[in-house]
Amino acid sequence: MQAIKQAEKKTYQRDHQLTETVLEIIDSVRSRGDAALLELAQKFDHTDLKCVKVDRPTIEKAYTLVDQETVKHITFAADQIRWFAQQQLQCMQPLNIPSLIAGVELGHRLVPIENCGCYIPSGRYPLPSSALMSVVVAKVAGVKHVAACSPAFHGCGTIHPAVLVAMDIAGADDIYCMGGAQAIAAYAYGTETVRKVDLIVGPGNKFVTEAKRQVLGDVGIDSLAGPSEVLILADETANPTFVAIDLLGQAEHDPNAKPILVCTDAGVIERSMAELNRLLADLPTRDVATISWEDNGEVYLADSMEEAIALANQVAPEHLEVQTKEERQVAAQLYNYGSLFVGHYAPVAFGDFVSGTNHILPTMSTARYSNGLCVKTFIKTPFHQYVSQEGCRNLSESCMHFAQVEGLYAHRDSVRLRVE
């Protein structure tokens, strides 16, 4: 393996100042509620709000501010995401079966979370797709009350109208104009206006991520998201233009985004880098993409496809593209990734917007042990057991012995008194 280009810096670092700043914001919202949210909206979003909850007239007005072509495509994407989530839900089944022990039945139920809060980031551009990815899936899972929030978008005085329309089409029950660590705190502890939730989902910047870390335990979270990533696995059949634009597609997300190319052909690497420079020159987002590529981009020449696959599984990227001759055979050997894009005509953009799989995915190598947002994120599987008198007798001897060994005598006697 030869490293042609390596990252110049780490894309995410947690520091003491960040921890303290977020802690102060959380404490302020927890103690002062709405008043803190309104002050922080003015401080961070430069927006003077009367209330963080977005009313129905504002949502309806958003439809008049968004062209009908955009509404049509938001609806198309929502339908795709909803359909895939419904198929996932059908794969999950309640369980109630006779045990190996006579007189005992074991199983689990599927119980949706009652209240969840979806966080939709807002930065350089509006992100209606992120509203669909979280809210639609929560509704399909059967969550009773789904809230959605996003910071005020510059120049709008509230959430960007395209994001508001997406939240509404997705089926959000409540919509709040709030962002940053203060939004996470409001979800976790509630305010006079914001309803406390049981689970917080959705990506965000380092302040959102740190806030989710700090409230974990008081409320559930989906994951701790870092900067977005792609790893492209390529061989001599890869189209250099496709490789280059897909690397830039990741780089334009954020200055901290991480685009990686692992290829078995030196010629493809050389031509891809030439194409990247050519395409970058005319890219409207080149300022961000250039920083991301120069600081975080990596390129590796692998001696074999086996070596390239091994590196991909080690990196465990958020997005993993396979642009190779034997694409399905290669894909079958990959197991650490958030979302897999197989074939020369499968860019990450499809998963980001319209294919139906979720784009809220594990980053920073956490795909080694976790997966992206899906219906099961919102569904608990609590266990149950039905035990008859016969089952009690059949389990009693082993159970009382365990209790005796562990010194839990009331446990032992709770069985003994039943069988005597």
Side-chain angles (χ1 to χ4, degrees):
M1 181 76 70
Q2 180 183 353
I4 307 295
K5 180 185 185 305
Q6 291 186 291
E8 297 295 326
K9 65 173 188 175
K10 291 184 178 180
T11 56
Y12 177 82
Q13 287 182 302
R14 187 178 177 217
D15 59 71
H16 178 72
Q17 183 57 54
L18 173 64
T19 301
E20 290 298 318
T21 299
V22 170
L23 180 60
E24 290 174 6
I25 292 172
I26 291 174
D27 285 345
S28 180
V29 173
R30 193 172 187 178
S31 62
R32 299 174 55 238
D34 283 356
L37 288 178
L38 298 177
E39 287 178 13
L40 291 165
Q42 180 67 250
K43 179 179 180 180
F44 294 120
D45 302 325
H46 310 293
T47 304
D48 186 16
L49 299 174
K50 298 295 186 290
C51 180
V52 294
K53 187 171 183 178
V54 180
D55 58 22
R56 192 67 213 171
T58 303
I59 297 170
E60 290 172 357
K61 181 181 178 182
Y63 281 86
T64 70
L65 301 174
V66 177
D67 65 88
Q68 290 308 299
E69 188 75 3
T70 298
V71 175
K72 181 182 80 171
H73 292 304
I74 288 174
T75 303
F76 173 85
D79 289 343
Q80 283 293 105
I81 296 162
R82 186 176 294 110
W83 177 84
F84 185 68
Q86 288 168 343
Q87 305 314 303
Q88 288 183 314
L89 182 60
Q90 288 181 18
C91 293
M92 301 178 66
Q93 296 295 328
L95 179 68
N96 196 77
I97 55 173
S99 170
L100 297 172
I101 306 299
V104 179
E105 294 176 39
L106 303 176
H108 67 238
R109 296 168 57 205
L110 304 183
V111 182
I113 299 295
E114 289 191 35
N115 300 283
C116 81
C118 302
Y119 186 91
I120 291 83
S122 177
R124 297 172 181 82
Y125 305 99
L127 299 171
S129 59
S130 289
L132 300 179
M133 294 290 174
S134 53
V135 177
V136 167
V137 179
K139 297 300 286 188
V140 170
V143 178
K144 291 180 181 178
H145 184 270
V146 181
C149 79
S150 191
F153 195 78
H154 52 82
C156 293
T158 186
I159 298 169
H160 190 282
V163 176
L164 273 178
V165 168
M167 289 172 167
D168 190 54
I169 289 173
D173 296 297
D174 283 323
I175 297 174
Y176 303 109
C177 183
M178 60 182 188
Q182 59 270 29
I184 302 304
Y187 272 157
Y189 304 111
T191 72
E192 299 90 332
T193 300
V194 181
R195 181 172 178 169
K196 183 184 184 302
V197 303
D198 304 307
L199 175 71
I200 301 172
V201 303
N205 62 19
K206 62 182 181 180
F207 294 94
V208 171
T209 300
E210 178 60 25
K212 287 171 73 176
R213 189 197 309 273
Q214 291 191 23
V215 302
L216 176 60
D218 292 329
V219 67
I221 65 169
D222 55 344
S223 64
L224 296 171
S228 196
E229 312 153 349
V230 69
L231 189 150
I232 299 175
L233 204 57
D235 65 8
E236 72 280 359
T237 67
N239 183 315
T241 302
F242 296 172
V243 170
I245 197 61
D246 290 357
L247 290 169
L248 291 176
Q250 201 62 39
E252 72 178 351
H253 268 288
D254 183 273
N256 290 317
K258 192 173 185 65
I260 305 170
L261 172 60
V262 182
C263 184
T264 57
D265 188 274
V268 169
I269 291 177
E270 183 179 355
R271 292 190 295 276
S272 296
M273 294 303 97
E275 278 293 274
L276 186 146
N277 290 323
R278 181 184 70 82
L279 294 167
L280 184 59
D282 296 324
L283 191 67
T285 53
R286 62 182 174 275
D287 290 346
V288 173
T290 299
I291 295 171
S292 173
W293 175 249
E294 290 180 352
D295 287 352
N296 314 315
E298 296 185 356
V299 180
Y300 297 93
L301 174 60
D303 296 330
S304 65
M305 183 52 63
E306 290 72 21
E307 188 177 54
I309 290 169
L311 179 59
N313 283 326
Q314 178 185 335
V315 173
E318 178 188 17
H319 307 96
L320 178 53
E321 289 190 8
V322 179
Q323 299 188 30
T324 64
K325 182 180 180 180
E326 305 293 343
E327 56 196 36
R328 289 184 180 268
Q329 291 88 330
V330 170
Q333 300 174 68
L334 298 165
Y335 48 82
N336 287 339
Y337 54 83
S339 194
L340 186 63
F341 300 81
V342 183
H344 299 284
Y345 293 90
V348 166
F350 285 149
D352 277 350
F353 303 122
V354 294
S355 66
T357 60
N358 213 288
H359 79 198
I360 301 173
L361 301 166
T363 60
M364 300 185 294
S365 297
T366 58
R368 288 173 298 171
Y369 56 82
S370 65
N371 53 259
L373 196 74
C374 62
V375 287
K376 72 177 183 180
T377 305
F378 303 95
I379 295 177
K380 304 177 293 180
T381 53
F383 310 124
H384 60 256
Q385 48 247 291
Y386 296 101
V387 184
S388 68
Q389 187 175 23
E390 179 189 18
C392 180
R393 287 196 303 270
N394 290 335
L395 292 174
S396 61
E397 182 179 353
S398 289
C399 183
M400 288 191 291
H401 186 84
F402 267 102
Q404 184 81 27
V405 168
E406 297 190 6
L408 299 171
Y409 301 108
H411 281 61
R412 178 200 62 192
D413 291 347
S414 70
V415 176
R416 181 181 61 80
L417 292 172
R418 283 173 166 82
V419 297
E420 285 181 350

